[in-house]
């Protein structure tokens, strides 16, 4: 949560920072702010609202001259999202200016101390405490900015990615990281700082990703100096060449990132298994897994930890791992797992699933599992992310940047990776027949074309969306492999349309939700070919007799449910085990269209953020 961006070099900082903030807005959009420095004067502008509001305010209120600048887009933690609480924040002297992504947990105690020393605070933020702490140390200990930052950070408990500059040092930015991400782009005597590489990708492919508890002093005309926060020791910079390109982070002709990302699914699912699945040869090869197969095979349990949509992918995995590989699986909300003193042993394998690779609760769950001796495997989308580095090994999904806050392609690519792992383990364990194994390999290879076919029904789904856009409640029902899809469908709808929606296992409907059903209630039922088909048909009958409106996801050519349902959304025939990869598509599209018709901000729904780096 929160995006930070900074620039120092020969160009005008303003357009770089502004554009960078727009690209990072997925990380939070409660408020935005910018500070520019031309070597003489600092110009600072901040406002509640989005980066577009900031742009307008800047146009009306300040000059945009300066080759040094920092900017921030905020997801509020401490203090309501008003102008004053927005970043950047000045220190009391007005010399230091800071932006911060994260949370300083002991800010109250530090603030009290600083107030006793005569400091005044204008905002409710923890960040203003940090910048004044740095100032206090700099003055009292008569040290340079970098040293003051290092000393201050050693007094801080919490998480941070910070960037700050000093009015007395027009050629220097200091940055540091713990928990929240921070990338430094390296150009020709110009430097970029950002929460991810998207703000600077058109300027340079060379970047350093700071590790936790590292800080960097970035000076024009000098090499970057990286130090450990704990002991001030020097770290040799590791410069990576980025694979990201501009096209991946632009809308490419689509109205929204979410729609683009929904439509990217055929290709990114393929990217995710390309080179890993050799369907004709019956081979699955996953680099991160090969050396750790024994750990999985001998595991007493697999515990999956994740949040949000990634947790739903974990639920799908529970079905496929237990079904094929016969390994007991528990799926845990990372936030609950970390705080409930769970039983974890060295014989457990923990799989952490995270699109961003930054989610604070998932990260904490990983740390706990590692402390207890479990082997931890990561499934992340963002390369080099904190979670991907905190795990013992793992597999990346190759979904490419997911910018729409509502997760779509991350979900289907996570399921793709989990399917590959489950099939591989089942094959080695001998818990799947050769014919079933080969069938699933071939079927997995067909998924991109089936997703493509499901996407072709977009116009029909749009019509259904129009009919139900004013509903105030939705129920989503599914059984077996499609129960998690029902949960995910409901989550998608509530996230972006703000319509209340609940997902349930279809059979559980009778134990409560059925009381909600009347002629106004739309019920989305996933009723594709499966072992439970007849059971789902019975559930549909039960809904019909209560006059509920049935929107059914059915297999192409289905006749029974077609007769009973009010509306249908067809998907190609797919083995039940792989069906979540296609049944989820119409549900994504339905949510998208409803949200659009209600004039919601599809890519940046209210109160949400893409990467939740606070617990
Ligand atoms: C946030 C996002 C969700 C996401 C969840 C977990 O709530 O809005 O879309 O599923 O975090 O994120 P992760 O990056 O760990 O998958």
């Amino acid at each position: 949560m929160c995006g930070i961006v900074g620039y120092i070099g020969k160009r005008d900082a303003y357009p770089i920072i502004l554009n960078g903030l727009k690209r990072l807005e997925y990380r939070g959009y409660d408020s935005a702010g910018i500070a520019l420095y031309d070597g003489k004067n600092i110009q600072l502008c901040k406002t509640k609202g989005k980066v577009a509001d900031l742009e307008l305010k800047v146009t009306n209120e300040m000059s945009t001259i300066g080759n040094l600048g920092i900017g921030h887009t905020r997801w509020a933690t401490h203090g309501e999202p008003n102008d004053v609480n927005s970043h950047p924040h000045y220190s009391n002297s007005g010399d230091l200016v800071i932006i911060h992504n994260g949370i300083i947990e002991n800010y109250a105690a530090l603030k009290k101390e600083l107030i006793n020393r005569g400091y005044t605070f204008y905002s409710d933020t923890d960040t203003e405490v940090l910048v004044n702490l740095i100032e206090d140390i700099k003055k009292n200990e008569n040290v340079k900015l970098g040293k003051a930052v290092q000393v201050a950070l050693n007094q801080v408990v919490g998480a941070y990615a910070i960037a700050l500059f000093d009015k007395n040092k027009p050629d220097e930015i200091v940055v540091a990281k713990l928990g929240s991400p921070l990338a430094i782009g390296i150009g020709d005597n110009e430097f970029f700082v950002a929460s991810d590489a998207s703000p600077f990708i058109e300027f340079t492919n060379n970047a350093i990703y700071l590790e936790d508890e590292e800080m960097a002093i970035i000076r024009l005309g000098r090499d970057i100096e990286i130090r450990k926060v704990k002991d001030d020791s020097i770290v040799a910079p590791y410069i990576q060449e980025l694979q990201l390109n501009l096209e991946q982070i632009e809308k490419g002709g689509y109205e929204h990132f979410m729609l683009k990302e929904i439509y990217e699914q055929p290709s990114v699912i393929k990217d995710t298994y390309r080179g890993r699945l050799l369907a004709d040869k019956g081979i699955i090869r996953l680099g991160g897994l090969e050396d750790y197969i024994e750990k999985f095979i001998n595991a007493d349990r697999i515990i999956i930890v994740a949040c949000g949509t990634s947790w739903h992918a974990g639920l799908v995995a529970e079905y496929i791992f237990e079904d094929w590989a016969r390994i007991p699986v528990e799926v845990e909300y990372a936030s609950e797992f970390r705080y409930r003193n769970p039983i974890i042993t060295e014989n457990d394998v923990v799989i952490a699933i995270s699109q961003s690779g930054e989610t604070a609760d998932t990260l904490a769950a990983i740390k706990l599992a590692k402390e207890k001796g479990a082997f931890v495997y990561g499934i992340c989308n963002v390369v080099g992310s904190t979670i991907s580095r905190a795990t013992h090994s793992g597999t990346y999904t190759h979904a490419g940047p997911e910018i729409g806050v509502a997760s779509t392609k991350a979900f289907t690519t996570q399921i793709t990776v989990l399917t590959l792992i489950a099939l591989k383990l089942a094959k080695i364990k001998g818990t799947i027949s050769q014919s079933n194994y080969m069938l699933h390999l071939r079927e997995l290879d067909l998924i991109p074309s089936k997703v493509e076919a499901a996407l072709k029904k977009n116009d029909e789904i749009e019509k259904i969306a129009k009919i139900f856009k004013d509903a105030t409640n939705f129920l989503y029902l599914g059984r077996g492999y499609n129960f998690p899809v029902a949960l995910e469908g409901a989550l998608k709808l509530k996230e972006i349309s703000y319509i209340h929606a609940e997902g349930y296992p279809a059979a559980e409907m009778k134990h409560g939700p059925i009381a909600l059903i009347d002629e106004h209630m739309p019920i989305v039922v996933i009723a594709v070919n499966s072992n439970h088909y007849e059971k789902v048909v019975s559930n549909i009958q039960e809904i019909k007799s209560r006059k509920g409106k049935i929107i059914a996801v059915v297999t192409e050519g289905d006749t029974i449910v077609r007769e009973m349902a009010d509306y249908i959304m067809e998907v190609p025939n797919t083995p039940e085990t792989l069906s979540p990869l296609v049944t989820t598509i119409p549900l994504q599209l339905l949510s998208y269209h409803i949200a659009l018709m209600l004039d919601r901000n599809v890519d940046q729904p209210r109160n949400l953020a893409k990467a939740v780096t606070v617990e």
Side-chain angles (χ1 to χ4, degrees):
M1 6 246 349
C2 300
I4 65 169
V5 57
Y7 175 79
I8 182 166
K10 50 196 177 284
R11 301 173 208 256
D12 279 343
Y14 179 63
I16 296 169
I17 309 270
L18 190 76
N19 210 22
L21 286 178
K22 286 180 182 165
R23 289 189 190 151
L24 291 177
E25 213 170 13
Y26 72 88
R27 302 180 64 85
Y29 31 82
D30 288 334
S31 67
I34 195 163
L36 298 171
Y37 189 35
D38 63 5
K40 286 196 190 98
N41 298 306
I42 298 172
Q43 302 276 337
L44 194 146
C45 182
K46 51 193 193 176
T47 182
K48 179 182 166 159
K50 306 213 166 198
V51 177
D53 300 310
L54 174 71
E55 192 173 5
L56 199 70
K57 200 168 176 188
V58 167
T59 315
N60 293 331
E61 288 183 8
M62 74 179 224
S63 121
T64 56
I65 300 169
N67 303 115
L68 187 164
I70 53 178
H72 189 269
T73 175
R74 176 167 187 248
W75 188 88
T77 56
H78 288 63
E80 65 166 289
N82 55 26
D83 292 5
V84 176
N85 286 333
S86 309
H87 300 216
H89 288 282
Y90 275 118
S91 63
N92 271 191
S93 70
D95 282 353
L96 306 186
V97 189
I98 194 169
I99 48 174
H100 169 214
N101 165 29
I103 203 161
I104 308 296
E105 286 167 15
N106 60 337
Y107 84 106
L110 294 169
K111 188 171 182 175
K112 211 166 154 197
E113 226 171 274
L114 288 164
I115 289 172
N116 288 341
R117 289 174 186 278
Y119 283 83
T120 308
F121 290 91
Y122 303 94
S123 75
D124 306 321
T125 65
D126 48 349
T127 308
E128 200 188 4
V129 175
L130 179 59
V131 73
N132 281 308
L133 178 65
I134 295 168
E135 175 153 292
D136 192 54
I137 292 165
K138 188 168 172 272
K139 278 190 185 146
N140 288 337
E141 301 189 14
N142 196 19
V143 288
K144 289 186 176 168
L145 180 64
K147 184 70 191 167
V149 169
Q150 190 237 334
V151 174
L153 291 179
N154 275 305
Q155 297 181 24
V156 153
V157 179
Y160 53 78
I162 55 166
L164 74 161
F165 66 88
D166 181 345
K167 200 174 178 187
N168 305 305
K169 297 260 184 168
D171 56 356
E172 180 177 303
I173 292 182
V174 176
V175 298
K177 163 196 156 52
L178 174 60
S180 309
L182 199 141
I184 304 170
I186 301 160
D188 180 13
N189 198 26
E190 62 176 349
F191 301 94
F192 308 81
V193 173
S195 301
D196 69 36
S198 61
F200 55 77
I201 196 63
E202 68 261 53
F203 302 108
T204 177
N205 278 324
N206 296 323
I208 298 172
Y209 285 89
L210 279 197
E211 297 287 340
D212 275 350
E213 298 192 313
E214 283 181 2
M215 54 180 288
I217 301 165
I218 303 167
R219 292 190 202 98
L220 286 180
R222 304 266 287 272
D223 286 340
I224 290 183
E225 188 180 311
I226 302 179
R227 289 178 179 272
K228 289 250 179 247
V229 170
K230 277 230 165 82
D231 58 14
D232 209 21
S233 59
I234 296 271
V235 179
Y238 170 57
I239 301 176
Q240 296 189 27
E241 203 178 317
L242 302 173
Q243 303 300 325
L244 190 71
N245 62 52
L246 201 54
E247 207 175 85
Q248 286 176 304
I249 55 166
E250 289 183 334
K251 285 189 197 146
Y254 287 91
E255 201 181 333
H256 296 99
F257 280 111
M258 183 184 179
L259 192 63
K260 177 189 174 219
E261 289 156 7
I262 289 173
Y263 273 87
E264 277 175 344
Q265 288 175 108
S267 67
V268 295
I269 290 172
K270 198 172 233 158
D271 289 345
T272 296
Y273 69 66
R274 180 175 291 126
R276 294 166 166 173
L277 167 71
L278 307 173
D280 297 343
K281 297 197 175 115
I283 293 174
I284 291 173
R285 227 175 8 216
L286 289 162
L289 189 67
E290 302 300 324
D291 290 343
Y292 301 99
I293 294 278
E294 292 300 312
K295 293 253 184 215
F296 278 89
I297 301 291
N298 298 324
D300 287 344
R301 283 183 307 175
I302 292 176
I303 303 169
I304 297 179
V305 291
C307 302
T309 291
S310 298
W311 183 77
H312 293 156
L315 286 181
V316 176
E318 179 178 19
Y319 284 80
I320 51 182
F321 274 88
E322 293 202 344
D323 191 355
W324 290 333
R326 310 303 297 151
I327 304 172
V329 177
E330 285 169 28
V331 189
E332 299 266 2
Y333 283 118
S335 55
E336 289 298 312
F337 180 78
R338 62 181 287 199
Y339 284 121
R340 68 167 175 75
N341 192 17
I343 299 166
I344 317 166
T345 75
E346 288 167 11
N347 297 329
D348 291 326
V349 166
V350 172
I351 299 181
I353 310 174
S354 175
Q355 186 287 128
S356 62
E358 278 184 50
T359 305
D361 283 323
T362 310
L363 186 60
I366 291 169
K367 286 185 182 154
L368 179 68
K370 278 169 87 179
E371 272 163 35
K372 305 254 181 186
F375 171 72
V376 186
Y377 200 82
I379 297 175
C380 295
N381 189 39
V382 176
V383 177
S385 55
T386 313
I387 290 177
S388 68
R389 285 183 308 207
T391 45
H392 292 112
S393 186
T395 303
Y396 283 116
T397 51
H398 289 165
E402 191 182 64
I403 293 165
V405 166
S407 189
T408 52
K409 61 177 180 168
F411 179 65
T412 44
T413 53
Q414 286 164 347
I415 294 175
T416 304
V417 166
L418 290 157
T419 303
L420 290 172
I421 297 174
L423 280 170
K424 175 144 188 130
L425 296 179
K427 175 79 168 70
I428 295 169
K429 281 188 76 181
T431 46
I432 190 169
S433 69
Q434 178 66 10
S435 59
N436 201 18
Y437 174 76
M438 288 305 291
L439 171 94
H440 275 92
L441 261 53
R442 283 192 300 271
E443 282 289 342
L444 191 54
D445 206 11
L446 294 175
I447 289 293
S449 61
K450 293 189 179 184
V451 170
E452 195 92 60
L455 289 167
K456 293 223 165 85
K457 306 285 180 187
N458 180 51
D459 293 352
E460 289 156 43
I461 296 167
E462 192 176 355
K463 284 184 198 141
I464 299 174
K466 204 165 185 182
I467 296 162
F468 290 102
K469 69 176 177 29
D470 296 317
T472 46
N473 290 291
F474 266 76
L475 266 184
Y476 284 71
L477 303 177
R479 275 181 182 254
Y481 288 83
N482 282 299
F483 155 54
V485 176
L487 294 182
E488 175 59 11
L491 177 66
K492 279 302 77 93
L493 186 70
K494 64 188 146 199
E495 273 181 316
I496 60 169
S497 72
Y498 318 146
I499 295 174
H500 173 248
E502 281 188 65
Y504 259 93
E508 275 293 306
M509 179 187 69
K510 290 192 283 295
H511 301 287
I514 199 163
L516 299 170
I517 298 177
D518 60 17
E519 68 274 24
H520 305 296
M521 173 71 105
I523 298 134
V524 179
V525 188
I526 304 153
V528 288
N529 286 349
S530 75
N531 288 334
H532 314 286
Y533 182 74
E534 276 81 26
K535 302 266 180 226
V536 178
V537 169
S538 307
N539 296 137
I540 292 177
Q541 295 284 16
E542 290 155 11
I543 300 167
K544 263 190 92 72
S545 27
R546 274 121 194 131
K547 300 196 168 52
K549 294 277 173 293
I550 297 156
I551 307 162
V553 179
V554 298
T555 307
E556 275 169 5
D558 177 284
T559 49
I560 299 172
V561 175
R562 177 188 291 267
E563 286 293 304
M564 297 161 65
D566 296 279
Y567 302 93
I568 55 157
M569 304 191 285
E570 286 186 313
V571 294
N573 191 21
T574 310
E576 185 184 358
T577 39
L578 302 181
S579 62
L581 290 163
V582 291
T583 52
T584 201
I585 305 297
L587 307 190
Q588 294 170 346
L589 287 170
L590 183 68
S591 307
Y592 172 79
H593 289 300
I594 291 179
L596 199 62
M597 287 169 194
L598 295 177
D599 210 17
R600 308 293 192 226
N601 188 332
V602 172
D603 283 336
Q604 295 172 348
R606 71 180 178 205
N607 302 340
L608 298 181
K610 185 87 189 139
V612 181
T613 53
V614 293
E615 59 176 88

